[in-house]
Each structure stands twice: as C-alpha cells, then as structure tokens.
C-alpha cells in the first residue's frame, strides 16, 4: 500500500515531507486538502491532525502529523533507500541539535517574516512593517551563528546533507524570493550552503509540483 | 566508571529543567554546572563556545558537547537506552513515531503560548518588566485551544503518545509547572477532566519532584 501525504502544495510544512520522500525516491500519493475551503478544520481532517494543520501522513496502519515527526519517521523507516538524511552513531547527536535549531531558532523568525513578506501580499493583506523590523535583526544574529557553524562543517549537522538542512528548504526558499535574500547572500558560507541545498534535484521536484496543479 | 555528564544552567530555567527531568528518569548521574545569567555569563565567549546562541542548557559527556534541551533529551535516551525508564523514548519504531509526533506538538503548539505566559507571569515580575496584558490574553486563548485538543486526545490515551509516560509528556513539565504554580493557571488544567488527570499523574513522578526540589534550593 502506498504512503499518503495529506496537505497543500504551497504549504511549507507539507513541502518538508515531499522533499524527504523525493530525496529517498519513495512512491507516495498526494491527497490535496483544500485550505481555502477550510477543509483542514473539518471533522474528517481533524481526525488525522487534531490541530487542524497540514500535513498529515499515512503509511499502512501508521498515521502521523507534524512534518518533522513525519520526515524523521520516513528517514529511519526507509534508511536504506535514497539519500540517508540521518547519520549512524555519534554524529546524529549533532544532527539532532541542528534539527532543533531549525525548529526553534530559524523557523520561528523565518515563519513570521515569510507571513509578512510572502503570504500577506498573496492574500492582499497589508504588511506589518514593525514585525519585519523586529525580526530581521534577530534572523541576522541567527545567520551569524550559521555562518560560524558552516565554517566548521560542510552541512549544518555534519559533513553530509541531512534532515537538519532539509527542514530549512521550504521557508528558506520563500525568504530567498524576498528582499531578505541579501541577508543570506551577505554571508559567504551561508550563501554557499543555501545555493547547494536549493539546487538539489529532489527540491526541484517539490517546486515542480506547483506547476503541475 | 565514566565521569558524570555535565548540564550547564540553572534548574529554574524551563529548558534546563527539561533535561534534568530526563536525567532523573533515566537514572543518569550528572553534575550541574552553574551559569550566572544575572551577570550575563551565558553571553560571554567561553560559554558561547559550547552554546553559540547564548542560551541554557548546554550538555557535555565524555564524547560530545550539545545543546537544545529536546535534542539533549533524545541524546540521553539514545545513549543510555538500557538505563532507567526504557519506555521514555521507545526503540520500537511505531511507538517512537508517536512519541516524536507529540514531542513536535509540544514544541510547535504547546511551547509557544506556554513559554510566553511563563515569561509574562513568572519571570517578568521578578525582572521588573511590565507585563504585556495583550500578549497574556492572546496566549491564554491559544493555550486553552491546545488544552482542548489535549483533553480530547487524553480521553482515549493515558499519556500523549500512548499507554506509557514518554519524552512527549516529560517535555511539558517545565512550562506547565510554572503555569499552575506561580502563573495561577491551574484551573485551565484541572477544569479539563483528562488534562487534569494527566497533569496530576506526570507531575507526581519522582523525577519531576526531584527537579522541583532542585529549583527550590538554587
């Protein structure tokens, strides 16, 4: 039975899961959830994710929500397929650290910024300049730490591409389409890392899904 | 015998106490290394070497230095899999997937509003910072919505991930403790039948009682 991803193509969290499945060359069925119609808040979807958010995931009898729990499950359950995305032994501890860094240090700020600079314009809503003004310098500080880290390590978690890097892709791609691109370009190691991970074929496949709609 | 692992930071810190609770559950001997936050020690170069974001906790054992409380907890459970509570972070892949799901739910849905409230209600007054009433109201609303979801989940499950107490429940202890004690938010938990039952059970665990004692004495 094929794995199912319930979500939306434009959703960053759903994209996190798509990226993982493509990296691992795994077959899956995409079941669109109509966010505009509020389908994610309706009973049949709440049964899959009681928080009413996309994505939700199904692999046989296993049902999961939370994109980072799903990607982890896939990476471990299908460890021998496609890109490893995790490490054996001691290096995995550091990969784990940088997965938390993405979730807490990067994504909290990046999500607020992408909401103001990418989504609000899409919905015809006015940007709150104060939010951008407050969070841009905070993101700059985080990227300074990334710059130092990437001076010591090829990828964030270790020397190979893992979930610690992958989890950034959806929100990062959004921000790179805004004036905030300059923050990433200004830091050489960060800039190289961004270019490298955004150029991955699996990520191109995720972006291509938008064109197929 | 290996040297005790080191945890850097004050037990009063919610993130530090998350790690301490995990160490107690796993029966892993540790040494608490003070970090004088009032004096800004956590922002100084020596500390930034082990935690580049200038936050507590940091963690060291003989082989590695890591940070981020939830990553530290996972590491402790993986490395000391055979010690103490073996159900905390099950090695069974399907059970682990459920634990990860609820650990992420804590991290993404519970932590933001509860952390904001803990700061406003428990720490701001101590730091002579004026409370932000709007922020409190907003996060109270968010918290109650999350607790409604938890109440529904805990109707059919003893703990969040299943029948056993796991890292997913443990991760909630630090913020919730402050919310129900200093924060006066006990009713939000006790008024919900299953959440109330769950909170009583997890906060009564020996491991958490030990952490609360440590918080009182430092």
């Amino acid at each position: 039975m094929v794995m199912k991803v319930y979500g939306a193509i434009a959703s960053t969290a759903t994209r996190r899961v798509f990226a993982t499945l493509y990296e691992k060359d795994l077959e899956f069925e995409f079941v669109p959830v109509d966010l505009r119609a509020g389908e994610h808040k309706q009973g049949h979807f709440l049964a899959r994710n009681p928080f009413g958010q996309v994505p939700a995931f199904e692999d046989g009898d296993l049902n999961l929500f939370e994109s980072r729990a799903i990607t982890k499950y896939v990476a471990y359950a299908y460890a021998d397929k496609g890109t490893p995305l995790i490490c054996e032994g001691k290096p995995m501890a550091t990969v784990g650290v940088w997965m938390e860094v993405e979730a807490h240090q990067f994504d909290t700020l990046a999500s607020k910024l992408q909401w103001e600079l990418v989504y609000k314009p899409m919905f015809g809503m006015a940007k709150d300049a104060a939010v951008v003004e407050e969070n841009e310098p905070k993101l700059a500080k985080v990227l300074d730490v990334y710059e130092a880290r990437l001076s010591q390590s090829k990828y964030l978690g270790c020397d190979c591409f893992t979930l610690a890097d992958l989890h950034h892709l959806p929100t990062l791609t959004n921000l790179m389409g805004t004036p905030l691109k300059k923050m990433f370009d200004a830091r050489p190691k960060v800039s190289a890392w961004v270019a490298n991970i955004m150029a991955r074929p699996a990520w191109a496949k995720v972006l291509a899904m938008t064109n197929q709609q | 015998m290996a040297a005790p692992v080191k945890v850097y930071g004050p037990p009063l810190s919610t993130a530090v106490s998350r790690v301490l609770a995990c160490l107690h559950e796993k029966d892993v001997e540790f040494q608490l290394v003070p970090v004088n936050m009032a004096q800004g020690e956590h922002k100084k170069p020596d500390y930034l070497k082990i935690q580049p974001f200038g936050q507590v906790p940091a963690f060291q054992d003989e082989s590695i230095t890591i940070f981020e409380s939830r990553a530290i907890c996972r590491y402790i459970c993986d490395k000391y899999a055979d010690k103490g509570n073996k159900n905390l972070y099950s090695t069974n892949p399907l059970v682990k997937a459920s634990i990860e799901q609820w650990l992420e739910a804590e991290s993404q849905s519970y932590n933001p509003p509860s952390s904001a409230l803990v700061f406003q209600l428990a720490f701001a007054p101590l730091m002579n910072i004026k409370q932000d009433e709007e922020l409190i109201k907003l996060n109270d609303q968010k918290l109650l919505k999350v607790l409604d979801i938890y109440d529904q989940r805990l109707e059919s499950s003893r703990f969040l991930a299943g029948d056993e107490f796991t890292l997913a429940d443990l991760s909630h202890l630090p913020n919730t403790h402050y919310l129900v004690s200093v924060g006066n938010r006990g009713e939000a938990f006790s008024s919900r039948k299953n959440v109330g039952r769950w909170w009583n059970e997890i906060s009564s665990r020996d491991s958490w009682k030990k952490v609360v004692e440590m918080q009182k004495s430092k």
Side-chain angles (χ1 to χ4, degrees):
Chain A
M1 220 182 87
V2 88
M3 285 181 271
K4 291 185 183 163
V5 179
Y6 299 80
I9 287 179
S11 141
T12 49
T14 311
R15 285 181 160 189
R16 211 168 267 131
V17 175
F18 290 150
T20 305
L21 292 165
Y22 283 127
E23 283 285 349
K24 301 198 72 64
D25 270 313
L26 293 167
E27 293 245 350
F28 66 93
E29 185 192 325
F30 168 53
V31 182
V33 175
D34 191 345
L35 300 182
R36 237 176 265 202
E39 192 184 344
H40 53 313
K41 306 294 181 189
Q42 288 167 17
H44 64 275
F45 186 77
L46 291 175
R48 295 195 169 279
N49 184 343
F51 294 89
Q53 295 170 326
V54 290
F57 172 84
E58 198 184 296
D59 185 7
D61 288 333
L62 178 71
N63 289 293
L64 283 180
F65 57 88
E66 284 298 335
S67 64
R68 294 172 187 82
I70 297 166
T71 60
K72 227 182 216 170
Y73 163 75
V74 170
Y76 279 101
Y78 300 94
D80 55 348
K81 294 212 77 189
T83 316
L85 298 181
I86 51 180
C87 296
E88 290 286 322
K90 189 172 139 188
M92 192 56 204
T94 309
V95 173
V97 167
W98 289 90
M99 286 171 71
E100 287 296 315
V101 167
E102 181 275 327
H104 291 282
Q105 308 286 356
F106 180 82
D107 200 60
T108 20
L109 302 172
S111 284
K112 285 180 188 159
L113 290 164
Q114 84 175 354
W115 173 248
E116 295 300 327
L117 299 172
V118 178
Y119 289 107
K120 269 180 155 181
M122 241 188 244
F123 302 135
M125 292 164 70
K127 173 178 89 180
D128 185 343
V131 172
V132 178
E133 221 176 279
E134 186 190 334
N135 289 292
E136 206 183 307
K138 289 181 183 176
L139 181 62
K141 283 198 176 133
V142 168
L143 292 181
D144 286 341
V145 177
Y146 277 40
E147 183 69 12
R149 171 61 182 163
L150 292 164
S151 306
Q152 304 168 327
S153 179
K154 186 163 183 215
Y155 293 94
L156 282 177
C158 60
D159 285 334
C160 53
F161 178 79
T162 66
L163 290 180
D165 310 286
L166 182 154
H167 283 174
H168 290 78
L169 277 167
T171 317
L172 179 62
T173 300
N174 278 343
L175 292 184
M176 287 298 281
T178 73
L180 294 187
K181 176 177 189 290
K182 65 181 194 297
M183 294 175 67
F184 298 89
D185 291 345
R187 294 162 173 84
K189 299 287 185 188
V190 167
S191 180
W193 169 76
V194 168
N196 178 301
I197 67 173
M198 283 179 66
R200 291 184 72 88
W203 187 242
K205 287 184 186 163
V206 176
L207 297 180
M209 291 176 82
T210 315
N211 304 331
Q212 285 156 23
Q213 267 190 304
Chain B
M1 200 181 80
V5 305
K6 288 183 185 167
V7 180
Y8 293 77
L12 284 174
S13 147
T14 51
V16 172
S17 70
R18 184 173 286 114
V19 173
L20 299 179
C22 182
L23 288 163
H24 283 304
E25 281 284 336
K26 295 298 288 173
D27 262 315
V28 172
E29 227 187 294
F30 65 90
Q31 178 196 348
L32 197 59
V33 180
V35 176
N36 192 332
M37 297 179 79
Q39 305 246 324
E41 190 184 339
H42 54 310
K43 304 293 182 188
K44 294 196 174 133
D46 276 344
Y47 186 77
L48 292 174
K49 280 186 201 139
I50 58 171
Q51 215 291 14
F53 295 93
Q55 292 171 334
V56 291
F59 173 95
Q60 268 172 350
D61 72 8
E62 79 269 359
S63 57
I64 202 166
T65 301
I66 52 176
F67 56 93
E68 283 293 338
S69 63
R70 294 168 190 80
I72 296 167
C73 289
R74 289 184 177 101
Y75 172 78
I76 291 164
C77 289
D78 281 339
K79 179 146 185 209
Y80 304 98
D82 292 332
K83 295 205 78 190
N85 185 339
K86 295 187 182 130
N87 292 314
L88 201 62
Y89 194 47
S90 172
T91 49
N92 173 303
L94 297 181
V95 178
K96 183 173 263 193
S98 179
I99 297 171
E100 284 292 351
Q101 172 181 277
W102 288 101
L103 200 37
E104 286 301 320
E106 181 273 324
S107 179
Q108 295 289 323
S109 297
Y110 187 79
N111 188 57
S114 61
S115 280
L117 286 168
V118 167
F119 180 77
Q120 290 292 326
L121 301 171
F123 290 108
L126 298 177
M127 295 159 75
N128 265 325
I129 294 175
K130 184 160 183 266
Q131 289 177 328
D132 184 333
E133 292 301 332
E134 271 306 305
L135 212 57
I136 291 172
K137 193 170 155 194
L138 189 71
N139 284 293
D140 267 332
Q141 284 170 352
K142 286 183 182 174
L143 180 71
L144 295 183
K145 284 200 177 128
V146 173
L147 290 181
D148 284 340
I149 295 169
Y150 280 17
D151 204 59
Q152 192 193 15
R153 164 58 179 170
L154 294 164
E155 173 76 33
S156 54
S157 187
R158 184 173 168 195
F159 296 100
L160 284 173
D163 292 332
E164 301 289 343
F165 174 79
T166 68
L167 264 193
D169 309 286
L170 182 152
S171 211
H172 290 78
L173 287 163
N175 290 1
T176 312
H177 173 73
Y178 281 129
L179 287 179
V180 309
S181 58
V182 186
N184 258 323
R185 293 299 188 269
E187 216 224 318
F189 294 80
S190 58
S191 65
R192 289 166 171 77
K193 187 182 85 184
N194 302 302
V195 167
R197 184 236 334 136
W198 167 76
W199 173 246
N200 281 337
E201 192 164 1
I202 69 172
S203 57
S204 304
R205 292 184 74 87
D206 282 341
S207 59
W208 186 245
K209 286 181 177 169
K210 285 178 187 159
V211 176
V212 172
E213 272 311 302
M214 292 180 78
Q215 290 184 333
K216 285 178 184 163
S217 58
K218 296 263 171 193

